[in-house]
Amino acid sequence: MAPRDIIVIPDKRLRLKSEPVAKVDDSIRMLVEQMFEAMYAAPGIGLAAIQLGEPKRVVTMDIAKKDDPKEPQVFINPEILWTSDEKNVHEEGCLSIPEYYEEVERPAEVKVKYMDIEGKPHEVHATGLLATCLQHEIDHLNGILFIDHISKLKRDRVVKKYSKQAKRAAEG
Ligand code: NI
């Protein structure tokens, strides 16, 4: 089967606040599988369930370097417990805002608690790319996009561009 489509701005579903997962059951395991499929096919390093149109607090990620073995990670109901005062600037992109990249400043380190695919609780102290990705994906679960962290001028410009494209596509 072909991977599921990833929704792009200005799709309003990207602004939804996703619901916590009550229990990791077959439907969640199926969703996670579909998320990895779509994420690897894109290709991307992180995906939130809402990007497949499912408002559930589920994140998939693989930040392994291109030629290294895959390192699939699943974060269910991830929650930021602590952020460092020290900030970091990373260039970010998003599969829901294709081919747009911009530098974003965020806390350099975060402590996050989450459940794994077995439903077991974990806590991770993340730095570097993992810290950035976790914050980017947890933002998605709250209806926040990385362009919300850049200047309004830049944001308006990119939203306008994608709105025009969507309109053109709808008109055929
Ligand atoms: Ni994203």
Side-chain angles (χ1 to χ4, degrees):
M1 248 176 39
R4 287 179 61 175
D5 285 336
I6 293 172
I7 61 177
V8 298
I9 60 164
D11 194 310
K12 287 193 172 65
R13 287 172 291 178
L14 290 167
R15 293 307 189 174
L16 290 174
K17 192 170 155 87
S18 294
E19 293 293 328
V21 171
K23 189 169 176 276
V24 182
D25 57 12
D26 283 348
S27 74
I28 296 298
R29 283 187 281 270
M30 169 97 70
L31 174 62
V32 165
E33 221 173 277
Q34 294 172 344
M35 287 171 66
F36 274 121
E37 238 176 44
M39 186 185 90
Y40 284 126
I45 59 173
L47 195 75
I50 192 58
Q51 294 179 275
L52 296 186
E54 306 256 6
K56 298 199 171 88
R57 300 186 85 79
V58 179
V59 166
T60 55
M61 203 179 289
D62 189 335
I63 55 170
K65 291 204 183 71
K66 209 173 133 237
D67 296 321
D68 286 353
K70 282 185 177 157
E71 273 173 39
Q73 297 188 79
V74 183
F75 302 89
I76 297 170
N77 299 343
E79 207 181 301
I80 293 176
L81 300 174
W82 170 86
T83 59
S84 64
D85 292 332
E86 193 201 334
K87 309 277 195 228
N88 224 341
V89 176
H90 265 282
E91 191 180 68
E92 296 189 26
C94 181
L95 295 175
S96 293
I97 313 171
E99 284 152 40
Y100 181 75
Y101 303 91
E102 192 55 71
E103 286 189 337
V104 177
E105 187 187 82
R106 300 182 186 269
E109 301 181 21
V110 287
K111 224 180 259 176
V112 172
K113 72 167 185 178
Y114 64 96
M115 269 193 314
D116 65 18
I117 192 70
E118 314 287 333
K120 286 196 196 101
H122 294 272
E123 236 180 78
V124 62
H125 184 132
T127 61
L129 183 58
L130 180 60
T132 295
C133 279
L134 276 169
Q135 292 174 82
H136 176 119
E137 300 307 335
I138 291 170
D139 268 356
H140 272 301
L141 306 182
N142 296 320
I144 297 166
L145 300 169
F146 85 90
I147 52 172
D148 298 340
H149 296 288
I150 65 178
S151 75
K152 185 176 183 311
L153 186 75
K154 284 182 182 166
R155 180 169 61 250
D156 287 350
R157 206 183 290 149
V158 63
V159 169
K160 203 167 154 193
K161 182 180 153 208
Y162 283 92
S163 301
K164 263 192 202 156
Q165 275 176 10
K167 209 176 151 208
R168 235 179 280 138
E171 286 165 355

